[in-house]
Amino acid sequence: MEKEGNLMKKKILIVNSFYTPDIVGGAEISTQVLAESLNQQFEVYVLTSSNNKDIIYEEINGVQVIRIPNRNIYSALDNYAPNTVEKLYWHFNNTFNKKQKKAINQIIQEIRPDIIHTQNLNGIGTYIWKLGKVNNTLIMHTLRDYQLIQPTKIGLINKLIASINKKRAKHVDVVVGISRYILDEFVSNDFFNCASRKVIYNTINNKTVEKNLKKEKGPLKVSYFGRLETEKGIEFFLDSMCNVEENKVGEILVVGTGSIADQLIEKYSQDSRIKFLGKLPFEEAQEKMSYVDVVVVPSLWPEPFGRVVIESYRQGTPVVATNVGGIPEIIYNKELIINPNDKKSMREKVELIYNLGAEEYNQLSKDCLEYSLKYSRTHEDYISLYRKILAEDE
C-alpha cells in the first residue's frame, strides 16, 4: 500500500439504497456522514438508486455520487402503497434483477474500487457482493437493518430470500454491525460465516444548539422524534404522558410523520399539551431536541442503533428509552431504560427527571453532551479497518 500522501488515493465505493437529498431514514444520514468523513483519506464514490430514467453522475460535498434508475415497479421514494402481490413481485425483482445487475457491473468496472462497502441494498441487490469478487474487489458490509433476513411480513418469502442472501454473503470479507445486537442477530442466523466481524457505532456529528439552563423546577417539555408507526411505540409514549399531571409535564411534542399520523391526531385531540409538528428539517429538529427537557424513545421493535438517542444527547437532553435492540448499548443513563409497553415505568422515569433540582438537571445535561462526543469520530474506526484489510490484501 502507498504511503499516505503519495501516488493515488485508494478508491472506496459506498453503496446504499438512497443518498442525500433522498432521505428515507437514519441509514441515509449515516451513509452521508460516513462518505464525507472518509473523503479526506480516500477517493470516495457512492452508488445509489433513484427515480431518474438515466444514470446520473454528480458531486456532493466532494463525494462522487452515481444514481442508477430504480428498475422495479415502485420505489420507497414514491408516495405509493403497494398491495401484497406488488410487494412480492418487487422483492423478487430486487433479488434477481438482470438489468440492474448488468448496470452495476459496468459501474464497478469503470471505477475499479479497492473496496466496495455496502449498506442497505434495497433497490440495488445483494448480487453486488459477487460482482465485487468477480472484479477482484474487497467487500465490506455494514448491517443497518434486518432486510437481509426479514424483507417482508410473510414468513415463507422471508425464508426464501434470506437463504439466497445467506449464500451470497459468503463473498463478504468484513461485516460491521452498528451495534453488538444486530451483529449477533445475523451471526446467530448463520450469515457472514466467511467474514471477519466488528462493531462500529454510527458517527453522530450534528451541531449542538445552545440549551437554556434550568433555573427552577417547572413542568417538563417532553418530546418524541421519529416515524409515527405502531412498532415505534408512539401510542405507548402518548398514553403514558397523558396520565402524568400537567404540573409535571406541560408540553408533549411529536416530531415526525407516518401511516398512523391522522389516527393519532384524532385520538389525542382532547389533550391540549400534545402538539403534532410533522416532519421538520434536520436543523429545526435539532433545535427542538435542545428546547425540550426530555426525549423519549419508546420503540417496541429492536432498533439496530437508535441515532435519535445520541442526537438528543448532543443537545444536552436526557433520554428515556426502551430496552430493545441496540438501544441499551448506547444509553448513558442506564437507570432511564424501561421495558416496552411499561407505562408505569415510563411515567416514573419522566417524573424522576422532573424531581431533579435545577443544578442536578443541568449537570445531567452537561454529562449527556460530553458522552455524545465519543460518537463524533467513529468513522475513524472505518478508516483503520479499510487500511488494515487493504494491507492484508497486498
Side-chain angles (χ1 to χ4, degrees):
M1 180 177 173
E2 301 93 342
K3 292 183 179 179
E4 189 171 340
N6 291 338
L7 303 179
M8 295 179 63
K9 293 179 179 179
K10 293 294 186 180
K11 296 179 180 179
I12 310 295
L13 176 61
I14 298 176
V15 184
N16 193 60
S17 301
F18 303 107
Y19 193 75
T20 188
D22 298 331
I23 297 177
V24 175
E28 286 70 53
I29 298 172
S30 296
T31 300
Q32 182 183 4
V33 170
L34 176 63
E36 294 179 2
S37 299
L38 296 172
N39 205 38
Q40 295 297 316
Q41 304 285 334
F42 301 93
E43 187 175 342
V44 180
Y45 297 81
V46 170
L47 174 63
T48 188
S49 68
S50 75
N51 283 349
N52 298 311
K53 294 182 179 180
D54 301 305
I55 297 178
I56 304 295
Y57 293 81
E58 59 183 327
E59 182 176 318
I60 300 177
N61 298 335
V63 176
Q64 305 301 313
V65 180
I66 305 167
R67 301 184 193 273
I68 59 175
N70 172 51
R71 294 180 172 87
N72 214 323
I73 59 173
Y74 63 85
S75 165
L77 298 175
D78 299 331
N79 185 19
Y80 180 70
N83 60 41
T84 301
V85 174
E86 289 172 324
K87 288 180 180 179
L88 294 178
Y89 180 80
W90 189 96
H91 283 288
F92 177 84
N93 200 27
N94 189 65
T95 306
F96 305 102
N97 194 324
K98 291 184 178 180
K99 288 185 178 180
Q100 196 79 304
K101 182 177 180 180
K102 182 179 179 180
I104 292 172
N105 190 51
Q106 290 176 342
I107 290 170
I108 292 173
Q109 291 177 348
E110 288 173 12
I111 297 175
R112 302 188 66 80
D114 297 285
I115 296 175
I116 294 176
H117 184 176
T118 57
Q119 321 276 312
N120 289 355
L121 288 173
N122 277 345
I124 304 292
T126 53
Y127 42 71
I128 191 173
W129 294 331
K130 185 174 182 180
L131 293 179
K133 280 302 171 187
V134 169
N135 288 283
N136 299 312
T137 302
L138 291 165
I139 308 296
M140 180 187 298
H141 181 72
T142 293
L143 294 165
R144 297 194 180 280
D145 64 20
Y146 306 101
Q147 285 288 317
L148 298 178
I149 296 177
Q150 295 179 318
T152 76
K153 295 181 179 180
I154 303 173
L156 185 60
I157 300 300
N158 288 346
K159 188 174 181 180
L160 174 62
I161 295 177
S163 67
I164 294 169
N165 290 336
K166 189 182 299 185
K167 290 178 182 178
R168 292 175 175 175
K170 68 182 181 181
H171 300 295
V172 175
D173 298 292
V174 181
V175 61
V176 175
I178 59 172
S179 65
R180 172 58 58 187
Y181 179 90
I182 194 170
L183 182 59
D184 289 346
E185 184 73 10
F186 277 85
V187 170
S188 67
N189 280 277
D190 294 324
F191 269 74
F192 304 106
N193 289 333
C194 299
S196 59
R197 304 161 187 166
K198 189 173 179 62
V199 174
I200 300 179
Y201 296 107
N202 285 330
T203 294
I204 310 293
N205 59 7
N206 48 305
K207 295 180 180 178
T208 299
V209 179
E210 186 174 356
K211 193 176 187 72
N212 291 326
L213 297 179
K214 290 181 78 69
K215 295 180 174 60
E216 57 186 27
K217 183 188 293 188
L220 296 176
K221 299 181 288 289
V222 183
S223 189
Y224 167 91
F225 295 83
R227 292 185 294 110
L228 305 189
E229 306 291 347
T230 300
E231 69 270 15
K232 302 293 279 187
I234 177 63
E235 290 180 275
F236 160 44
F237 163 67
L238 291 174
D239 285 346
S240 302
M241 291 302 95
C242 285
N243 288 319
V244 179
E245 298 92 331
E246 292 187 12
N247 67 309
K248 295 180 180 178
V249 171
E251 289 186 57
I252 305 168
L253 305 184
V254 178
V255 178
T257 188
S259 65
I260 63 172
D262 292 341
Q263 173 187 327
L264 294 172
I265 292 171
E266 181 178 357
K267 180 179 178 180
Y268 298 100
S269 60
Q270 300 304 311
D271 194 325
S272 61
R273 295 176 296 171
I274 301 176
K275 298 179 177 62
F276 290 90
L277 304 183
K279 186 175 182 179
L280 300 178
F282 184 78
E283 292 77 10
E284 192 173 341
Q286 302 304 300
E287 291 174 2
K288 290 298 182 186
M289 284 181 180
S290 176
Y291 168 76
V292 299
D293 303 302
V294 187
V295 168
V296 177
V297 182
S299 290
L300 306 180
W301 78 292
E303 298 278 357
F305 177 74
R307 62 179 299 121
V308 69
V309 173
I310 306 302
E311 289 179 350
S312 300
Y313 288 160
R314 186 58 54 88
Q315 305 309 333
T317 303
V319 175
V320 174
T322 46
N323 185 28
V324 295
I327 290 177
E329 299 175 43
I330 61 173
I331 286 288
Y332 168 67
N333 323 81
K334 302 301 182 185
E335 64 180 334
L336 296 181
I337 296 176
I338 60 176
N339 289 323
N341 275 325
D342 188 342
K343 298 176 185 178
K344 180 175 181 290
S345 183
M346 182 186 288
R347 293 193 297 270
E348 289 174 349
K349 300 303 182 184
V350 170
E351 289 176 1
L352 185 152
I353 295 175
Y354 166 78
N355 288 324
L356 293 176
E359 187 175 339
E360 290 176 294
Y361 178 88
N362 293 338
Q363 183 60 52
L364 174 59
S365 173
K366 179 181 177 182
D367 292 343
C368 288
L369 173 56
E370 185 175 347
Y371 170 79
S372 75
L373 298 178
K374 66 182 285 188
Y375 294 90
S376 63
R377 303 193 64 82
T378 57
H379 64 275
E380 293 179 353
D381 293 333
Y382 278 111
I383 293 175
S384 299
L385 191 54
Y386 288 163
R387 296 199 182 285
K388 180 176 183 292
I389 64 175
L390 286 169
E392 290 173 350
D393 191 55
E394 291 184 345

